[in-house]
Amino acid sequence: MVWNDEFLSWNSSMFDEIREISLPLSAIWAPDIIINEFVDIERSPDLPYVYVNSSGTIENSKPIRVVSACSLETYAFPFDVQNCSLTFNSFLHTVKDVDLAFLRSPEDIKHDKKAYLNDSEWELLSVSSAYSILQSSTGEFAQIQFNVVIRRHPLVYVVKLLIPSIFLMLVDLGSFYLPLNCRARIVFKTSVLVGYTVFRVNMSNQVPRSAGSTPLIGFFFTVCMAFLVLSLAKSIVLVRFLHSERHGGQEQPFSCLRGDTNADGPRVEPMAQGAAVTESSLYGEHLAQSGTLKEVWAQLRSISNYLQTQEQTDQQEVEWLELLCRFDQLLFRSYLFMLGLYTITLCSLWALWGGV
């Protein structure tokens, strides 16, 4: 800061041509210029002296470390451009007492990057400045605002976040080529879901938190994760349905061929048949043959009913498989569309970032 104090001027010819001296800042008047966005205690080196020349011009070159509040726009992360402002004004003195002005022209300030220390994450684009009068109930205050425009270097986030997320989505997309009624598909999708969860936790630690906007990559990732959960739920329902249809407690029609002891029809014992031969044995044999034919007929009807029931079950299973196959194709196309849109959006954001 540079300001004039008429009470600190002198004629240098009367004082051995002394044109500049240093004085303690606490011993002279200094303007109460503050930064409105300041959110932390001042952590600056202690330089208690200022230079005063013979015309009364005071120069305070004390550096200030500023921790300011800035509203982040993280929608296009990691291809985001941030605009953070620093507003300087007087806290007590109105514009009639303390006015502000630029030491250099705004154009020189805008493109001056000599004092900027370029780090690995951010790049300084410009520093625009503007002078204005702030109207308040206590009077008019002069203020100067600097808009610091910076953009993020996205390469590290592309390698650590975007490319692994696309690979994870491609692996999940490949799971749609597994058969619908394959239980290994559930195991595979569950493993991918675990991978999604771990990747989501790691991504949340690297994506900046902002209440104003949600990163676009987080939205795409959540939608793809929802597609995965829908596909997994559909596979679970299908396997459960097929298991219930195949093991629903149906009768087994071939029990007569296993020698049931609880059969209702009369049975002819071989030892008894050889031991008892009487005149009425022909009539008894005729009755036994008649009962055996009825029993065979009943078993044939049971087999026929079983085959009809099995055919209906198979037909119902085919209908369910066809319905779920269409739903699976819809999920696959939606997933493919979302992945393509995700890739195109990232490429477009990168192109817009490069054109800033």
Side-chain angles (χ1 to χ4, degrees):
M1 293 189 297
V2 177
W3 68 94
N4 292 325
D5 192 338
E6 58 184 1
F7 301 105
L8 293 179
S9 60
W10 68 90
N11 189 353
S12 59
S13 60
M14 298 176 59
F15 297 94
D16 296 332
E17 297 298 331
I18 298 177
R19 299 182 180 276
E20 190 176 58
I21 61 175
S22 60
L23 295 176
L25 182 61
S26 59
I28 64 174
W29 178 87
D32 56 335
I33 303 301
I34 62 172
I35 301 176
N36 292 340
E37 293 83 3
F38 206 86
V39 295
D40 200 357
I41 60 176
E42 183 178 351
R43 298 178 181 177
S44 305
D46 188 13
L47 299 177
Y49 293 93
V50 294
Y51 286 104
V52 182
N53 60 21
S54 59
S55 62
T57 301
I58 304 172
E59 181 181 354
N60 184 7
S61 300
K62 178 181 179 180
I64 300 176
R65 178 186 176 185
V66 179
V67 180
S68 64
C70 181
S71 179
L72 295 180
E73 293 293 334
T74 59
Y75 180 76
F77 175 85
F79 308 102
D80 52 335
V81 177
Q82 305 296 338
N83 187 352
C84 298
S85 61
L86 296 174
T87 306
F88 296 81
N89 59 6
S90 176
F91 187 72
L92 296 176
H93 300 88
T94 62
V95 68
K96 296 180 181 180
D97 301 325
V98 176
D99 199 1
L100 302 179
F102 296 104
L103 289 176
R104 296 185 296 167
S105 64
E107 289 298 325
D108 293 339
I109 299 174
K110 183 175 182 179
H111 301 288
D112 186 10
K113 301 180 182 179
K114 296 178 181 179
Y116 178 71
L117 299 178
N118 194 6
D119 62 354
S120 59
E121 185 173 1
W122 296 99
E123 176 187 359
L124 177 64
L125 297 180
S126 63
V127 181
S128 59
S129 55
Y131 171 84
S132 61
I133 300 296
L134 178 62
Q135 303 286 343
S136 66
S137 59
T138 57
E140 297 180 347
F141 295 86
Q143 69 175 13
I144 289 179
Q145 186 177 54
F146 295 94
N147 294 314
V148 183
V149 181
I150 56 177
R151 68 177 178 181
R152 194 189 306 269
H153 290 292
L155 185 59
V156 61
Y157 295 99
V158 170
V159 175
K160 293 172 60 177
L161 287 179
L162 301 186
I163 294 180
S165 67
I166 292 178
F167 285 162
L168 191 59
M169 293 175 186
L170 287 175
V171 170
D172 188 21
L173 197 64
S175 65
F176 284 88
Y177 287 94
L178 294 175
L180 289 178
N181 55 351
C182 179
R183 290 178 174 83
R185 185 175 187 178
I186 298 179
V187 178
F188 183 81
K189 282 188 170 292
T190 304
S191 302
V192 176
L193 182 60
V194 173
Y196 263 101
T197 305
V198 174
F199 186 82
R200 181 73 177 179
V201 172
N202 294 334
M203 185 178 68
S204 63
N205 295 330
Q206 300 184 22
V207 175
R209 295 175 177 85
S210 176
S213 60
T214 302
L216 193 60
I217 61 172
F219 171 76
F220 277 114
F221 202 78
T222 303
V223 172
C224 292
M225 194 172 181
F227 283 151
L228 170 62
V229 173
L230 283 176
S231 179
L232 181 61
K234 181 261 303 176
S235 300
I236 293 176
V237 171
L238 176 62
V239 172
R240 176 60 183 171
F241 170 77
L242 295 180
H243 180 81
S244 299
E245 289 294 329
R246 293 173 182 175
H247 304 281
Q250 298 173 353
E251 291 185 1
Q252 299 180 359
F254 300 101
S255 60
C256 62
L257 303 180
R258 296 200 302 250
D260 257 348
T261 57
N262 295 328
D264 294 335
R267 302 184 57 182
V268 180
E269 296 291 338
M271 297 297 295
Q273 185 178 4
V277 179
T278 58
E279 294 180 353
S280 61
S281 61
L282 294 176
Y283 181 72
E285 183 179 355
H286 175 71
L287 291 179
Q289 290 178 356
S290 178
T292 303
L293 290 177
K294 291 181 180 179
E295 183 179 355
V296 170
W297 175 250
Q299 292 296 334
L300 289 176
R301 291 184 60 184
S302 177
I303 294 174
S304 177
N305 293 333
Y306 172 78
L307 293 178
Q308 291 179 359
T309 304
Q310 188 66 29
E311 184 179 359
Q312 293 177 358
T313 302
D314 294 340
Q315 182 65 26
Q316 189 176 7
E317 180 178 330
V318 169
E319 292 177 356
W320 273 100
L321 283 175
E322 184 178 359
L323 178 62
L324 293 177
C325 183
R326 293 179 180 177
F327 181 69
D328 194 69
Q329 291 177 356
L330 178 62
L331 281 179
F332 176 77
R333 293 173 182 175
S334 302
Y335 207 145
L336 191 62
F337 171 78
M338 186 60 61
L339 182 58
L341 184 62
Y342 178 59
T343 306
I344 294 174
T345 302
L346 292 179
C347 294
S348 302
L349 290 176
W350 202 340
L352 291 176
W353 176 89
V356 175

